[in-house]
Amino acid sequence: MRSPWLWGALVVVLGLVVVDLALDGRAAWAVGYGVLALGIAWWTSPWRGRRGGTTQQEVEDMAQDDPRGDVVVYWRPGCGFCAMLKARLGGLKDRVTWVNIWEDEEGAAFVRSVNDGNETVPTVVMDGIPHTNPSPVKVKERLARG
């Protein structure tokens, strides 16, 4: 959720829930939902900064340092499955070429071409074969083989 207007709407709705609970005399519930609302607002904030992804410059730097083309992950910011894959790869994530489909139109076109016109990510290419949202274990096994 990176859209400022959608983020604003979420904050307003959660704020109204907190106010309604407070007016009904349920202060403990209002505080609880207020804390939850602040946490959700912070987590989804479009201004919170970069999270869960590699910048295009970092991808280019990795390609120059280690020109491996055998494992490529097509991803996009805000994708929970992409963030989970990156986290589960641990130290092996540096051996992967990361392509942000929101910044690379050719990458987005490729993802659509192998996913029936959908931009389904993560799409991982291993040994030239695309896999849509593969198990992190499968990707780790491929990376471990070298």
Side-chain angles (χ1 to χ4, degrees):
M1 163 129 44
R2 302 302 268 178
S3 170
W5 71 267
L6 199 53
W7 177 80
L10 175 67
V11 170
V12 168
V13 167
L14 290 172
L16 290 173
V17 168
V18 170
V19 168
D20 183 52
L21 288 170
L23 290 176
D24 282 347
R26 297 185 286 185
W29 283 96
V31 169
Y33 274 102
V35 169
L36 177 66
L38 287 174
I40 291 172
W42 173 79
W43 182 254
T44 60
S45 171
W47 300 286
R48 184 166 74 91
R50 196 180 116 221
R51 66 181 157 123
T54 308
T55 66
Q56 189 62 32
Q57 184 60 48
E58 289 170 332
V59 169
E60 291 168 8
D61 291 344
M62 282 190 285
Q64 288 175 357
D65 295 341
D66 184 14
R68 299 170 55 93
D70 52 351
V71 178
V72 179
V73 175
Y74 294 89
W75 69 282
R76 67 169 173 75
C79 169
F81 295 106
C82 299
M84 180 192 67
L85 175 63
K86 185 175 183 181
R88 297 274 307 273
L89 291 179
L92 294 174
K93 71 178 178 281
D94 297 333
R95 298 178 60 190
V96 173
T97 301
W98 297 86
V99 178
N100 180 346
I101 65 168
W102 284 359
E103 293 179 357
D104 186 328
E105 183 52 42
E106 289 179 19
F110 171 76
V111 169
R112 286 190 301 270
S113 75
V114 298
N115 290 299
D116 299 320
N118 299 310
E119 290 186 353
T120 307
V121 289
T123 295
V124 181
V125 178
M126 295 181 281
D127 301 320
I129 302 169
H131 304 270
T132 303
N133 196 15
S135 161
V137 172
K138 184 176 184 177
V139 179
K140 283 177 83 168
E141 287 173 354
R142 171 58 189 88
L143 289 169
R145 280 188 299 178

